Amino acid sequence: MLLRRLLRLAPAFLLPKPATASNSTSLPGTRPCDALAAAGLGDILLAPTDSGYEPQMATWWSLNAQLRPWCLVLPRSTAEVSLVLTTLVAAGHGAGSWHIAVRSGGHGWPGSNSVVNGVTIDLSHLNATRYDAAANRARLQPGARWEHAYAALQAQGNVTVAGGRDGGVGVGGFLLGGGISFFSGRHGFGCDSVVNYEVVLADGSVVYANATAHADLWRALKGGAGNFGIVTRYDLQAIPSTPLLYELRYLAANYSSAVVDAVVDYAGRNASYGDDALVTFYSHDVSISPAGDTVIGVIHVNTLGNADSEEIFDGLKELPALVNVTARETMADAAAGSKLPGGTLNAGSTRTFKNNPAILRYCVQLHEQLVASLTQSIGADSFTTLMFLQPIPAYLGRLGPQQLNGGGVANMLGLENMTDGAVIWTGGIGVSTGGEAALAVAQAALNAMSAQVASFAQSVGGLVDLVYLNYADPSQDPLGSYGADNVAFLRRVAAEYDPNGVFQSRVPGGFKISRVG
């Protein structure tokens, strides 16, 4: 198992447990932190002087996302989230400017889930998972990591859900941004399986958003991110847990043409192939390839464990693989063994384009240029890259209303009218040495690559509006990419449930509907 995880380029590691807050009666010395202590919340506060503060900051995945607030507050219940939020809102801005951040799993970009001048509401202790067999619902709290949620569901009812593929990712951010799953070909995006949300609004009230109550909020949360309140529980429709067929192949870069053909083939498939998932990535990592050569990873999953479904994989199976791993395993085991390693400074960007092989080949060319440029500027052993090409068949955007026994609804991503298959391109760079200066160089290079991808796709009539929120860079506008009707809908819902704009101005991290042009 250890070898398999190392070969996946995503070794599993144990995340530190959420820190226990200090019981000290001394106040942290800033207005909002003092207000939380005065409200009786001192036992769930962590100040920089507390021994648990730095270990908790280390649970953020990316080093450059570890922004250190005046204090962390770690609520243990929905009632405590309500008290924390109302206390902070009542504390006001004072003479200076300070803000509130909300963190679930800590995988977002810098500033999306923590803050320097202010308080971070860290939901790490809200991490329970419970299976309700009578309703066939999985009730997940936002601070749970997917590997633990899957394991709990497996143990409680031999069920799973359409959730994250990386076991270290948190439940909350994944579902609020959409959520691409191995089960997406049958069940759509992860948010499409959410039956009910428990939400703490800015005034401290708790509402339950579903098809029959607060239905507008229910729909808005399916891709609308943190614009309305703090979600403290997600109820998802559960599905039977069948051992997956998981196949991973690593190929040399000279087989890229065959990989592109496989992605194009899959993105053009119809719903009869919905039990299969295909993920491809290109990587520069001298710990894997000391010569600095790009390695291609191809993951094929059949969610029913069917080995006879491999037609879409046949062309690649005949190629000589550097590594070939095939296993049948639960979703819990797959997620636990597929965690991207953190602890580096990270840059990212994403685009979506039509299923045109010329665009994919151009992305491959740009990746090689990116690696060559960064090798020269910051050194080959100072960075790693991951360029994902994820096929999105045309039918996937229409699966939302078909979920929940036909009682689902179209999510916010705006793909329901997509007529052609598409591919989500995602570029990521991890910088291990050279600090912020090297990161700035890497981010600039990746931004330039992203712009080139978009320009070329536009030039051949292949650019798709969607900027997938869960992979987007802070400079991008995923909410604005959802289309005019969905943007207007999100504005109306935000105004109704947060009339004072607390989640636009006081909780400014992440993508905000008020900032859409």
Side-chain angles (χ1 to χ4, degrees):
M1 177 61 76
L2 177 59
L3 177 61
R4 280 191 55 210
R5 290 174 177 173
L6 290 172
L7 292 175
R8 287 186 182 186
L9 287 177
F13 57 91
L14 292 176
L15 290 168
K17 293 181 180 180
T20 301
S22 169
N23 289 319
S24 171
T25 58
S26 62
L27 300 182
T30 58
R31 174 181 293 203
C33 302
D34 290 353
L36 291 169
L41 296 167
D43 61 337
I44 60 170
L45 284 180
L46 281 173
T49 52
D50 291 321
S51 61
Y53 183 92
E54 281 303 318
Q56 187 61 17
M57 291 308 307
T59 65
W60 267 256
W61 179 73
S62 176
L63 288 180
N64 47 315
Q66 294 176 6
L67 306 183
R68 285 162 174 77
W70 294 339
C71 62
L72 294 160
V73 58
L74 293 93
R76 298 159 298 194
S77 66
T78 299
E80 285 189 342
V81 171
S82 176
L83 180 56
V84 165
L85 185 56
T86 54
T87 299
L88 291 174
V89 171
H93 280 287
S97 177
W98 62 271
H99 296 294
I100 305 164
V102 181
R103 179 265 181 119
S104 294
H107 265 66
W109 48 263
S112 65
N113 53 31
S114 194
V115 65
V116 174
N117 294 319
V119 177
T120 296
I121 303 173
D122 186 341
L123 303 178
S124 294
H125 286 310
L126 287 176
N127 58 19
T129 296
R130 182 171 68 86
Y131 176 55
D132 181 343
N136 191 36
R137 292 184 183 180
R139 306 191 190 279
L140 279 60
Q141 291 185 314
R145 307 299 177 96
W146 282 109
E147 61 172 317
H148 302 134
Y150 290 136
L153 293 172
Q154 183 74 34
Q156 294 176 30
N158 195 33
V159 294
T160 190
V161 290
R165 298 165 296 189
D166 183 319
V169 169
V171 165
F174 174 89
L175 290 173
L176 288 176
I180 301 175
S181 167
F182 286 141
F183 299 94
S184 287
R186 280 282 176 252
H187 299 282
F189 289 85
C191 63
D192 294 327
S193 292
V194 179
V195 182
N196 176 72
Y197 300 88
E198 179 183 78
V199 190
V200 178
L201 301 181
D203 64 2
S205 61
V206 179
V207 299
Y208 295 89
N210 48 61
T212 57
H214 306 291
D216 52 353
L217 179 59
W218 176 56
R219 182 177 177 231
L221 286 165
K222 295 175 181 288
N227 281 280
F228 318 101
I230 299 176
V231 181
T232 50
R233 198 184 77 210
Y234 300 80
D235 297 346
L236 285 80
Q237 182 167 280
I239 53 181
S241 177
T242 301
L244 312 174
L245 176 74
Y246 187 106
E247 297 183 289
L248 168 68
R249 282 175 170 78
Y250 282 114
L251 303 170
N254 56 304
Y255 295 113
S256 178
S257 182
V259 172
V260 167
D261 289 343
V263 173
V264 170
D265 181 21
Y266 183 82
R269 297 275 173 158
N270 60 35
S272 65
Y273 290 86
D275 296 319
D276 291 285
L278 183 67
V279 180
T280 63
F281 57 89
Y282 291 64
S283 179
H284 161 85
D285 187 337
V286 294
S287 70
I288 303 297
S289 176
D293 297 328
T294 294
V295 176
I296 306 172
V298 182
I299 300 171
H300 166 238
V301 170
N302 182 272
T303 57
L304 298 180
N306 182 7
D308 297 327
S309 72
E310 300 176 5
E311 175 190 346
I312 59 174
F313 216 50
D314 283 345
L316 298 178
K317 288 193 327 184
E318 298 174 0
L319 301 175
L322 302 173
V323 175
N324 180 5
V325 177
T326 301
R328 279 188 171 81
E329 58 189 5
T330 65
M331 190 63 233
D333 288 336
S338 300
K339 294 183 292 188
L340 289 175
T344 55
L345 300 166
N346 292 283
S349 188
T350 188
R351 300 286 179 176
T352 307
F353 45 76
K354 291 182 180 179
N355 186 27
N356 181 336
I359 306 176
L360 275 72
R361 291 190 171 92
Y362 184 67
C363 291
V364 173
Q365 175 186 336
L366 290 178
H367 177 260
E368 292 304 302
Q369 294 173 5
L370 175 76
V371 170
S373 174
L374 292 179
T375 296
Q376 183 175 15
S377 60
I378 65 175
D381 58 352
S382 294
F383 72 98
T384 59
T385 68
L386 278 173
M387 182 184 78
F388 287 93
L389 298 172
Q390 298 188 73
I392 305 294
Y395 71 87
L396 194 150
R398 299 188 289 274
L399 290 179
Q402 301 173 26
Q403 302 312 302
L404 315 181
N405 300 317
V409 65
N411 61 45
M412 289 286 95
L413 277 64
L415 297 179
E416 58 270 18
N417 296 319
M418 187 169 68
T419 57
D420 300 304
V423 175
I424 294 180
W425 166 86
T426 307
I429 302 174
V431 175
S432 54
T433 62
E436 295 287 343
L439 175 64
V441 172
Q443 183 69 72
L446 187 59
N447 288 347
M449 179 181 176
S450 181
Q452 289 176 285
V453 170
S455 178
F456 182 81
Q458 183 72 53
S459 73
V460 296
L463 188 64
V464 174
D465 289 338
L466 178 69
V467 176
Y468 181 53
L469 189 147
N470 284 350
Y471 303 153
D473 170 77
S475 68
Q476 298 182 291
D477 181 19
L479 297 179
S481 76
Y482 292 173
D485 289 346
N486 284 352
V487 168
F489 179 79
L490 290 172
R491 289 192 199 281
R492 290 196 301 271
V493 176
E496 178 180 352
Y497 288 91
D498 182 22
N500 295 320
V502 169
F503 285 92
Q504 304 303 312
S505 59
R506 300 294 304 280
V507 190
F511 298 103
K512 298 301 179 179
I513 193 63
S514 59
R515 296 200 288 263
V516 175

